[in-house]
Amino acid sequence: MLGVLLLLSLTSLVALVPPPSAPPVPCRRCCDDLEPEEGSGAEPPIGVFSRVPEVRTYINMTILKGDKGERGDRGTPGKPGHEGPPGARGPMGSTGTKGQAGPPGDPCKAQYSAFSVGRRKSLHSLESYQALVFDTVFVNLDDHFNMFNGKFICRNPGIYFFNVNIHTWNFKETYLHIMHNESEQAIVYAQPSDRSIMQSQSLMLELELSDEVWVRLYKRQRENAIYSDDVDVYITFNGYLIKASVEGK
C-alpha cells in the first residue's frame, strides 16, 4: 500500500513539469483578465475570452394559468369515522305549556258483598250433620246470603272476612264448624259447663264464583247444642268482601 502511494506522488510531480520542447508560458496575474482602465493606453489582452454569463430560464406562471374549470362531480361518501365520546349534558329546557284536559273517564264500579244474620231459637244436634239456619236479617246485600239453607253464595270472587258468634248451653257441649263448600275451615267449640258463655270465631277466605260458606252443627254424640231466645239474639253470622279479584270498570 505504501508503494502505491509513493508511485502516485511521483506521477503527479512528473505531470507538473512541462516538457523541454514546449514554448515558455508567460507568467500571469489574477488580474490580467480584466479590461485595462479607460485612458491608461494599455491594450486589452489578446486571445483571452471573457466569462460567459449564466442564463437562467424564468417562466411567469400567472401568464400560463388558464381560466377556472367547472366544478367536478361529487365523490362517493367515505366510510363513517369512529364514534366520538358522548358530549356533556345540555342545559335543561324550559317547561312546556300545559296540555289540554282529556275527556272524562268512565266511573269505576265498586263491587260490594256483605251480610249479617242472626238466630233467635236454640238448636240441638241431630243424628247427622246439619246447617245452622238463621231467622233474622240485619244486612243482606243483593241477597247473597240464602236464608232458606243458611249458606252464603259468592257472586263477586275475592277475599272475604267471616265471623260467627254463639252462646253455649249449660251442661251441654258446643261443637260447630265454619265450612267452605264441603271443607271444614275453623271450629267453634266449648266443653260442657255449669255456666253458659259466649264463643266466637273469625277467619278470611279467598272465594271463587259460586263458592258457599256456611256454619255446620256437629252430629250428636254428646249433648251438643247452642242457646238463644226470642228476646235477645245470641247467635250471629257475618261476612263481607275485603278485596275483589277483578276490580270493576
Side-chain angles (χ1 to χ4, degrees):
M1 176 61 71
L2 182 60
V4 173
L5 294 176
L6 183 60
L7 180 61
L8 292 176
S9 301
L10 293 176
T11 304
S12 60
L13 292 174
V14 172
L16 294 176
V17 178
S21 60
V25 178
C27 181
R28 297 178 61 190
R29 293 176 297 178
C30 61
C31 58
D32 289 344
D33 294 337
L34 300 177
E35 294 289 335
E37 296 182 0
E38 186 177 357
S40 62
E43 296 182 357
I46 302 173
V48 179
F49 295 96
S50 61
R51 187 175 297 173
V52 178
E54 182 180 1
V55 180
R56 294 184 180 181
T57 304
Y58 173 75
I59 301 175
N60 189 349
M61 298 302 296
T62 60
I63 300 175
L64 300 179
K65 185 176 180 181
D67 298 334
K68 184 177 180 180
E70 297 180 357
R71 185 174 181 177
D73 297 335
R74 186 169 181 172
T76 57
K79 296 180 179 180
H82 297 291
E83 183 178 358
R89 185 174 182 178
M92 181 179 294
S94 57
T95 304
T97 58
K98 185 177 181 180
Q100 297 180 352
D106 297 331
C108 179
K109 182 181 178 182
Q111 299 187 26
Y112 299 98
S113 182
F115 72 92
S116 180
V117 294
R119 181 182 175 93
R120 295 180 181 273
K121 295 180 181 180
S122 301
L123 181 64
H124 288 77
S125 61
L126 303 175
E127 297 294 335
S128 59
Y129 297 112
Q130 60 178 317
L132 183 57
V133 179
F134 299 86
D135 51 29
T136 303
V137 177
F138 299 108
V139 174
N140 191 11
L141 293 180
D142 299 324
D143 294 327
H144 290 180
F145 189 86
N146 190 330
M147 294 297 293
F148 295 99
N149 61 12
K151 294 182 179 181
F152 168 77
I153 302 174
C154 177
R155 303 299 184 192
N156 299 319
I159 298 175
Y160 285 78
F161 174 82
F162 296 98
N163 166 261
V164 60
N165 299 282
I166 58 95
H167 190 275
T168 64
W169 204 320
N170 295 357
F171 305 105
K172 295 183 180 181
E173 185 179 44
T174 301
Y175 196 174
L176 300 94
H177 283 101
I178 299 177
M179 306 292 294
H180 179 195
N181 296 327
E182 297 300 322
S183 177
E184 301 169 352
Q185 298 299 311
I187 189 173
V188 184
Y189 181 78
Q191 293 180 338
S193 174
D194 57 351
R195 299 179 59 184
S196 61
I197 59 174
M198 293 293 297
Q199 290 284 83
S200 179
Q201 181 65 279
S202 304
L203 79 167
M204 289 189 294
L205 295 173
E206 185 171 3
L207 304 182
E208 300 294 338
L209 185 63
S210 300
D211 279 357
E212 295 179 338
V213 179
W214 50 292
V215 180
R216 187 188 70 181
L217 190 65
Y218 199 76
K219 62 185 178 180
R220 181 186 300 175
Q221 289 181 338
R222 294 183 291 268
E223 287 291 334
N224 183 17
I226 53 178
Y227 176 82
S228 190
D229 59 34
D230 295 336
V231 179
D232 297 314
V233 178
Y234 290 89
I235 304 169
T236 60
F237 184 31
N238 314 284
Y240 56 87
L241 175 65
I242 296 177
K243 184 179 185 303
S245 298
V246 179
E247 298 293 340
K249 295 182 179 180

